[in-house]
Amino acid sequence: MNDSTPGPLTYLLVDGENIDATLGMSILGRRPQPQERPRWDRLLRFAEKVWDQPVQGLFFLAVDTELPMPFVQALTSIGYRPVPLSGTPDQKVVDLAIQRTLEEIARRDADVMLASNDGDFVPQVEALVSGSRRVAVLGFEEFRNSRFAALVPRGLECFDLEHDVDAFTVELPRIRVIPIDEFDPNDFL
């Protein structure tokens, strides 16, 4: 896509490694089973619905030597553009690519949603919030980097992948603060 794209557009950038690592290490304490992983198509639909405009999904992947073709084909079939990346062992290639992409989006007339909990993107997200566009972070609210909270009064929107986006088909074993209006004692009995 380029600046000549007619009408408003949302870029949905997915840091799949960060979401998967948070899910596995912090929430489940083990490698997620297939049914416990996000349904990536739901993120695209959510992004399109919440801001009522077309979405271009970019899914960033670190790849060593071999492209994970079944996963790449699945992403492509649901509407993402996979971004497979490689680099040296000391490079966080996905983070570098997302940072560069956020910087480029700052030069375009587009909105952006970032699926990540990673604080490495705070400077780029802050620059985007400073403009006239809509900017959101999607992740797990209890694991979202706390520096994003300072950007909320400036317009950053934050969405929870499980509770707002409904990206999962199973309930995750999360401990979170429950607003009293949402509290159901049956959930605990």
Side-chain angles (χ1 to χ4, degrees), residues 1-27:
M1 302 276 169
N2 58 37
D3 285 336
S4 64
T5 303
L9 176 70
T10 299
Y11 286 103
L12 171 61
L13 282 56
V14 178
D15 181 356
E17 290 182 340
N18 176 269
I19 299 301
D20 199 56
T22 304
L23 179 61
M25 292 188 293
S26 300
I27 295 174

Side-chain angles (χ1 to χ4, degrees), residues 61-75:
L61 304 157
V63 178
D64 288 329
T65 56
E66 217 172 289
L67 201 59
M69 282 312 292
F71 186 59
V72 167
Q73 290 170 335
L75 289 172

Side-chain angles (χ1 to χ4, degrees), residues 2 13 18 20 27 41 51 53 56 85 116 118 130 144 152 158 160 173:
N2 58 37
L13 282 56
N18 176 269
D20 199 56
I27 295 174
D41 58 318
W51 288 344
Q53 63 190 31
Q56 170 64 58
L85 304 154
S116 182
D118 196 335
S130 299
R144 185 178 302 121
V152 170
C158 297
D160 185 90

Side-chain angles (χ1 to χ4, degrees), residues 55-104:
V55 174
Q56 170 64 58
L58 302 174
F59 199 107
F60 296 81
L61 304 157
V63 178
D64 288 329
T65 56
E66 217 172 289
L67 201 59
M69 282 312 292
F71 186 59
V72 167
Q73 290 170 335
L75 289 172
T76 302
S77 73
I78 60 175
Y80 282 95
R81 184 164 187 193
V83 183
L85 304 154
S86 68
T88 61
D90 63 316
Q91 291 178 306
K92 294 167 65 174
V93 295
V94 168
D95 286 8
L96 291 170
I98 290 175
Q99 288 168 336
R100 291 177 189 171
T101 303
L102 290 169
E103 290 165 359
E104 180 57 34

Side-chain angles (χ1 to χ4, degrees), residues 102 121 133 183:
L102 290 169
F121 307 121
R133 73 189 80 243
F183 174 71

Side-chain angles (χ1 to χ4, degrees), residues 19 31 54 57 63 79 105 145 160 162 165 187:
I19 299 301
R31 185 180 178 93
V63 178
I105 291 171
N145 187 284
D160 185 90
E162 183 179 18
V165 179
D187 292 340

